[in-house]
Each structure stands twice: as C-alpha cells, then as structure tokens.
Amino acid sequence: MIREKKSEEVPLSLSATARYDGEDVKRQLLEDQHEKCYICERKLGTDFQIDHFKSQENYSNLRQDWRNLFLACGYCNGKKSDRFDNNISPLDVNVEDEIEQRIDFNHNKASFRAVIDDEQHRNTVEMLCRFYNGKQNKRLIKEERFFDEAKQKMISFLRKVYNYQMDSTRENRDIVAEELSVEKEMLGFKYWIILDCHLKDEFINEIKWNKEWTIK
C-alpha cells in the first residue's frame, strides 16, 4: 500500500447523476491508480469495484465524494466492508513511509508495523494483517492464496535485488528499477526491501511515486 494521487478534475457523473460508479469515474480511477487496487496494489483487470474509503453505511453523505472513492479488487473490497472506516488516507499520508510492510518468510506471514502510534495507523495495520494473515493468523483458502501470491512476487523481486547486489551492472540495476515503476505491483513491500537492503540512495528517484521528497 502506497500513497495515491487523484485527479483534481471531478468526473462529471458525480454531479450530474445520483450514481457514484459511472463509467467516467471508473475510467479516471483506473488512470489515477495505474490500474491497481489501492490496498493490495495488484493489477485489476476486470476484477474491480469502487470502494468507499469511508463506507456508505456509516458515511452516507460521502457516497459521491470524489476523494472518498477508490478502486479495489473484489477480495480487498469484500473484506474491508464497513469495518475499517478510520484508516489513514492514502491521499494525505505517505503510507509506505508510515507503515512498514514486509513478508516474514521465517514465520510465513505478512508483517506490518506503524511508525506512528495512533488509532488510524493501528486500524490500517489491523486491516492489512487480516487481509494477508487471516483472523488470529488462521487463513481461509482465499486468504492463503492472497498471501502466497504476495510472497511469490516478493521472492522474485528479492532475487533481482540480490543479483544487483552481487553484480552491480547497469543491466541488473535497470531490472530492479523497472520493478519499482509506479505501474508495477506491490510497491509498498518492495519499498521496504529496498530500505532493508540499504539501497535507498541508489534508487531514490525510483521510489518517490506519488509524493515529493526533499533529498538531503
């Protein structure tokens, strides 16, 4: 999960109709989110739904609010429902900085830790843990497959990073840099691999994404 950037131009159907899921809304969200689920960052294909960041059940006044609308995959949208309304907003927060996101290969689980200790960060961590690790660390079949997909993709990325560390050619660097493009999947996990491997300075320009840094 990383910071998101939303178009300032509000889709016309939000003001011209009573709908929140017009074709112009979907099209703009696909473009803004680089066709990825804003929670798990997997490519959406045809499996996407409009998620209300603050749920319709609890915040009916935000039903057509442009800043409250995101695209999520069916898995994430279904599990989120109205239980995680008080999360940190990916439009306002550099999520990848404020929540550590790792695959713990030794314990076969995803690990999330909030850098800031407040209710919104704790709720977001709880949500991510539940999506990847199941309830009380007991995964159902879909949760198991969801986690396994993330684990395999991070194993693949780690191999590319290690190849670069062992042989720092331009070609190997380009391979890692390509995996850090904003269009690629699971950048939140990749971000912390880069930091843990002490490669932040080497890939500083590739891991900015939707935020602006002052490089010191």
Side-chain angles (χ1 to χ4, degrees):
M1 193 172 180
I2 64 171
R3 187 176 189 127
E4 296 291 341
K5 189 174 182 180
K6 189 180 288 288
S7 169
E8 294 182 3
E9 185 174 347
V10 179
L12 180 61
S13 68
L14 291 176
S15 58
T17 74
R19 299 175 64 92
Y20 64 82
D21 58 351
E23 290 298 292
D24 56 342
V25 174
K26 296 172 185 175
R27 188 175 295 108
Q28 190 60 58
L29 287 174
L30 282 167
E31 181 179 337
D32 290 348
Q33 295 176 208
H34 303 281
E35 302 198 3
K36 298 186 295 183
C37 171
Y38 84 102
I39 296 175
C40 70
E41 296 187 77
R42 295 183 301 172
K43 285 292 186 180
L44 291 169
T46 59
D47 174 31
F48 60 83
Q49 302 169 7
I50 291 185
D51 174 61
H52 290 80
F53 180 72
K54 291 188 179 294
S55 67
Q56 297 185 77
E57 291 82 358
N58 298 327
Y59 295 87
S60 59
N61 60 310
L62 299 178
R63 183 175 181 273
Q64 288 184 287
D65 188 307
W66 175 228
R67 285 180 57 86
N68 195 47
L69 304 178
F70 294 88
L71 282 187
C73 66
Y75 176 84
C76 288
N77 192 42
K79 291 187 76 66
K80 179 174 176 286
S81 63
D82 63 348
R83 289 174 292 184
F84 296 101
D85 282 338
N86 196 26
N87 287 352
I88 56 175
S89 171
L91 295 178
D92 301 325
V93 169
N94 296 332
V95 183
E96 64 272 27
D97 285 326
E98 298 189 6
I99 295 183
E100 298 179 10
Q101 305 167 54
R102 297 182 174 92
I103 299 295
D104 182 345
F105 296 101
N106 291 329
H107 297 93
N108 199 42
K109 68 176 186 178
S111 173
F112 303 97
R113 189 184 78 86
V115 175
I116 298 172
D117 186 20
D118 63 21
E119 184 178 358
Q120 289 181 315
H121 285 76
R122 288 193 296 270
N123 284 347
T124 307
V125 165
E126 180 186 350
M127 180 188 75
L128 292 170
C129 284
R130 184 170 295 190
F131 286 16
Y132 283 90
N133 301 323
K135 192 174 182 180
Q136 298 178 337
N137 290 326
K138 294 180 180 179
R139 298 189 187 101
L140 302 176
I141 292 175
K142 282 189 177 181
E143 294 164 344
E144 187 69 41
R145 292 190 173 198
F146 183 75
F147 170 75
D148 284 345
E149 180 181 345
K151 181 173 70 173
Q152 292 305 316
K153 287 179 178 177
M154 288 311 99
I155 288 172
S156 175
F157 180 64
L158 272 167
R159 287 185 181 130
K160 294 171 182 177
V161 171
Y162 291 159
N163 285 341
Y164 172 68
Q165 289 180 309
M166 295 298 293
D167 185 12
S168 302
T169 64
R170 182 68 188 184
E171 180 181 2
N172 283 339
R173 187 196 183 283
D174 288 345
I175 291 172
V176 175
E178 173 62 22
E179 286 294 319
L180 296 173
S181 169
V182 72
E183 292 85 12
K184 294 295 185 177
E185 297 181 305
M186 300 183 177
L187 297 177
F189 286 113
K190 291 176 180 177
Y191 181 85
W192 283 94
I193 288 175
I194 292 296
L195 266 59
D196 289 342
C197 292
H198 308 290
L199 292 172
K200 178 180 177 180
D201 291 342
E202 178 69 20
F203 293 97
I204 192 71
N205 291 320
E206 284 81 7
I207 57 176
K208 288 182 181 179
W209 301 314
N210 298 319
K211 62 190 177 187
E212 292 298 329
W213 284 354
T214 300
I215 302 174
K216 299 180 180 180

